[in-house]
Each structure stands twice: as structure tokens, then as C-alpha cells.
Amino acid sequence: MPDPGAVSPVVWRVRIRMDDDPGTLARVAVRLAGLGCNILGLTVLPVPGGVLDEVAVRPATGLSKERLVEAIQAEGCECTCRTDADVRDLVDAPAAALAAARRAVDDPARQAEVLREVLAADLVTAVPLAEANPARVEGGHRVVFAVDGRTALVARRRWAPFVQLEVARAEALLNLLDRAQRAVTRPLAVTCADGAAIVLREGKPADADAVSALHGRCSMTTLFERYHTGMRTVPRRRLHRLLMPPRGLSLLAVCGRDVIGVGQLIPGPGEIAEVSLLVEDIWQRNGVGTALLKRLAEIAGARGCRRLVAMSLPGRDAIHRTAVRAGLAPEPPEEEGLLRIDLRPAGPHLLSDL
């Protein structure tokens, strides 16, 4: 009989290890029904030597944990863990994982939060990959996921060890998010204001000659507004850094074989990234800079950035006007030329023709 002095939560999440034999689950269900438990959800997790059934039950008032465990053991099964649950645990697991993936695509900064939800983990923290120590599993209560070449997410769960199916589900989610972030950097064709078709694509070392030629076609005024110093050509060693900035990327606007514009995105501290633009004189006021900045903002958002900053010469507002045309919401430029642009959380989407 239930203990009238015990207090039960509204819903319990119970994991039961049993042999994979016909009728075993049915017998357990009958036992739970005899205790006045209402089964609200069931997930079957294959494990070596049997199955691990996760059951969400609404226990009878006053039912103790000990009485529940005894009933499960009476059917030759093992109650490996029990924890309190809430309404989110009653959602279909695949549907919940897809909903979580959408939230992470919309706002990559929530990746750790979404992973914690999918794994029903107690804690998920981001650490440098070199410090993650994936061999430290703590009896299955700790698991490490590499999310890029520099960072790892470490998940911990005290109430139950992770099983392989859960780890595989989490890895599939992270792979999906990685592909979604990479998709936004794929080449994209856009149409300029005069009807010319250009392609926006990520820069690579092989573009060094074309980018050097772009600088040669730009006026001194254009180059000074971009670099804030007098220069006519770019040294070869600087071209590589321009095309492959540390931790960042370059985005090229290409027409035919010519590079007619280049933008840079360089992550900064926290959720901030710096952007810069250079557009060939004869292509200015034709939507090239707008297309570059809008695409850079999308890439930054897909990488978890929430704010862009750009530097311009004091009193010049070209980058501010470009940001407005790109559909962004820049703050008024500061006196020293610093421009701040807040990014609303947004998933990667195709850039419409200009």
C-alpha cells in the first residue's frame, strides 16, 4: 500500500533495465498499474544485454520510491534511476529534438542550452577543446562533444548515465547545426541595382592575385577610407591575412573573373565581430557593399554573434548608410568613427536579390 506520509512529485521519470523478452514490459506495466501509477510516456533505449525503458509515470499519491523499486524488482528488472520530471519530458523525443534544433539554428548562442535539453543533462558547458578530456567519462555520467576545431561541449548528468542512443542523437543534432552554419557561407548569386549579376563567396588563398588587382583599380580615396592610411598596393604577406584572417573569413564579390569587392568578418571578444568593406570605385552605389554587409551579418548571426562593429573615418557615414540599406539597425556612429550594429537572433536564410 502507498505510504500516506510520503509526498510524491506530479511526474516521475523512471529508467528500468530489463531483458529483451516478450511480455516483460507488459508485466512491469501491470505492476505499475497495481500501484496506481499512470504511464504517460515510454522511450525504449537499446543497451548491451537488454533494453533500458524510460517511463514517465504519474504516481499514486503517497507512493514512495522504495515501493516503486520493489515492484519493478519483483518482475526481475532493475530500476536504474528515478528523477522528477515536468511536462517537457512528456513530449515525443524526436519532435522535441527537432524543435530544439530549430531554436539552435535561430540562435546559435543557445547551442549548449539546447544540447542540455535534448540530453536531459544537469549541465552543459563550453570549454577549449584541448581541455575537454573526452576520456574522462565518470562512469557514463560525463560526455564530450567537439563542436569545431577549438571548442567542445561537456555534458554532465548525475541522475542517470548517458547511453549510446542518446549520445548518437546529440551528435546528429550538433552535425545538423554545423551544416546549417556552414550553408550560409556557400556561394550566392545576387543582382545589383543596374541588373549586373555577381556572386558572393568565401575568399581563399588562390584569390590573392585577383584581390591585389582589385586594390590596383581602387582610388586612393577608397583605399584610405578602408585602411585609414595611405597605400597603393597590398604587400603579398598581407594579402594572405586579408583573405584568411585569423579565426575569421573574407567574403568576395565576384563578377566574371574579377573580384570587385571584399568584406571581412573577424570575431572579437564575447559575441562581437568586426566587419570591414572595400568595393571598387566603379561598382560603388550599385548594391555591392550592401550585399556584402548583409551576407556578413547573416554569417555572424549563424556563428552566434549578436553585435557587429565597424570603423570608419570620423564624419563619414558610408558604412552606416550601407548597414541601413542592408536591413540592419545600426546605432549612430560615434565621434571617433566606431559603428555598432545589433543583430537580432536569426537563422541562416538566402539573401534576396538587391
Side-chain angles (χ1 to χ4, degrees), residues 214-215 218 222-223 226-227 260-263 276-280 292:
L214 162 67
H215 285 75
C218 288
T222 293
L223 293 175
R226 165 61 179 86
Y227 297 105
I260 61 172
V262 58
S276 57
L277 300 174
L278 174 68
V279 177
E280 185 176 344
L292 284 169

Side-chain angles (χ1 to χ4, degrees), residues 255-334:
C255 183
R257 296 184 177 180
D258 292 334
V259 173
I260 61 172
V262 58
Q264 268 195 331
L265 178 72
I266 302 177
E271 299 173 341
I272 298 175
E274 181 181 353
V275 292
S276 57
L277 300 174
L278 174 68
V279 177
E280 185 176 344
D281 292 62
I282 63 173
W283 285 91
Q284 293 176 13
R285 292 173 292 279
N286 199 20
V288 177
T290 302
L292 284 169
L293 185 56
K294 185 172 184 179
R295 192 64 165 170
L296 289 171
E298 291 177 344
I299 295 171
R303 295 187 172 190
C305 295
R306 296 184 180 274
R307 169 172 284 195
L308 300 178
V309 295
M311 289 298 301
S312 61
L313 294 173
R316 305 291 179 91
D317 64 349
I319 188 70
H320 183 274
R321 289 185 281 108
T322 300
V324 172
R325 288 194 297 269
L328 304 175
E331 299 176 2
E334 299 179 5

Side-chain angles (χ1 to χ4, degrees), residues 9-351:
V10 176
V11 179
W12 283 345
R13 177 184 249 178
V14 182
R15 288 199 165 182
I16 307 170
R17 188 182 183 96
M18 62 182 69
D19 294 332
D20 191 13
D21 295 329
T24 304
L25 179 59
R27 294 195 303 271
V28 171
V30 170
R31 282 277 184 173
L32 294 178
L35 294 175
C37 294
N38 185 19
I39 297 179
L40 304 176
L42 170 67
T43 302
V44 179
L45 304 170
V47 295
V51 293
L52 190 66
D53 285 1
E54 182 176 292
V55 184
V57 300
R58 190 186 304 280
T61 302
L63 180 65
S64 67
K65 173 186 174 182
E66 291 73 17
R67 184 73 182 89
L68 178 72
V69 172
E70 289 172 1
I72 293 172
Q73 291 174 341
E75 293 299 334
C77 303
E78 178 188 0
C79 181
T80 62
C81 56
R82 181 205 61 82
T83 187
D84 296 348
D86 58 36
V87 68
R88 290 176 299 178
D89 298 319
L90 305 181
V91 179
D92 175 67
L98 289 172
R102 178 179 178 180
R103 291 197 301 276
V105 168
D106 288 344
D107 186 1
R110 300 178 65 183
Q111 188 178 64
E113 170 192 334
V114 166
L115 183 63
R116 183 189 62 78
E117 181 180 328
V118 169
L119 287 172
D122 298 319
L123 181 67
V124 174
T125 54
V127 301
L129 184 59
E131 301 174 10
N133 191 8
R136 180 184 160 199
V137 297
E138 298 178 3
H141 293 267
R142 181 182 187 271
V143 63
V144 174
F145 302 92
V147 293
D148 56 30
R150 304 178 305 275
T151 309
L153 295 176
V154 180
R156 293 180 174 85
R157 189 172 68 190
R158 290 177 296 176
W159 67 273
F162 298 104
V163 300
Q164 186 56 42
L165 180 61
E166 293 176 305
V167 173
R169 185 183 298 155
E171 289 175 341
L173 171 66
L174 294 174
N175 287 336
L176 174 64
L177 298 178
D178 180 66
R179 293 294 291 271
Q181 291 181 24
R182 291 176 184 272
V184 78
T185 62
R186 291 177 179 172
L188 178 69
V190 298
T191 304
C192 293
D194 64 358
I198 64 173
V199 174
L200 304 182
R201 63 169 176 83
E202 193 170 352
K204 52 186 183 295
D207 296 310
D209 289 340
V211 173
S212 179
L214 162 67
H215 285 75
R217 296 191 302 270
C218 288
S219 66
M220 290 294 294
T221 300
T222 293
L223 293 175
F224 190 78
E225 289 201 6
R226 165 61 179 86
Y227 297 105
H228 307 167
T229 185
M231 61 181 299
R232 179 72 262 179
T233 60
V234 180
R236 196 73 183 183
R237 64 182 182 279
R238 190 169 179 181
L239 279 174
H240 179 78
R241 190 177 183 87
L242 183 66
L243 285 164
M244 306 290 290
R247 299 179 297 108
L249 61 82
S250 64
L251 186 67
L252 306 184
V254 181
C255 183
R257 296 184 177 180
D258 292 334
V259 173
I260 61 172
V262 58
Q264 268 195 331
L265 178 72
I266 302 177
E271 299 173 341
I272 298 175
E274 181 181 353
V275 292
S276 57
L277 300 174
L278 174 68
V279 177
E280 185 176 344
D281 292 62
I282 63 173
W283 285 91
Q284 293 176 13
R285 292 173 292 279
N286 199 20
V288 177
T290 302
L292 284 169
L293 185 56
K294 185 172 184 179
R295 192 64 165 170
L296 289 171
E298 291 177 344
I299 295 171
R303 295 187 172 190
C305 295
R306 296 184 180 274
R307 169 172 284 195
L308 300 178
V309 295
M311 289 298 301
S312 61
L313 294 173
R316 305 291 179 91
D317 64 349
I319 188 70
H320 183 274
R321 289 185 281 108
T322 300
V324 172
R325 288 194 297 269
L328 304 175
E331 299 176 2
E334 299 179 5
E335 290 186 5
E336 64 273 18
L338 179 66
L339 178 69
R340 305 177 191 273
I341 307 171
D342 285 330
L343 299 178
R344 300 181 181 90
H349 54 278
L350 292 180
L351 178 66

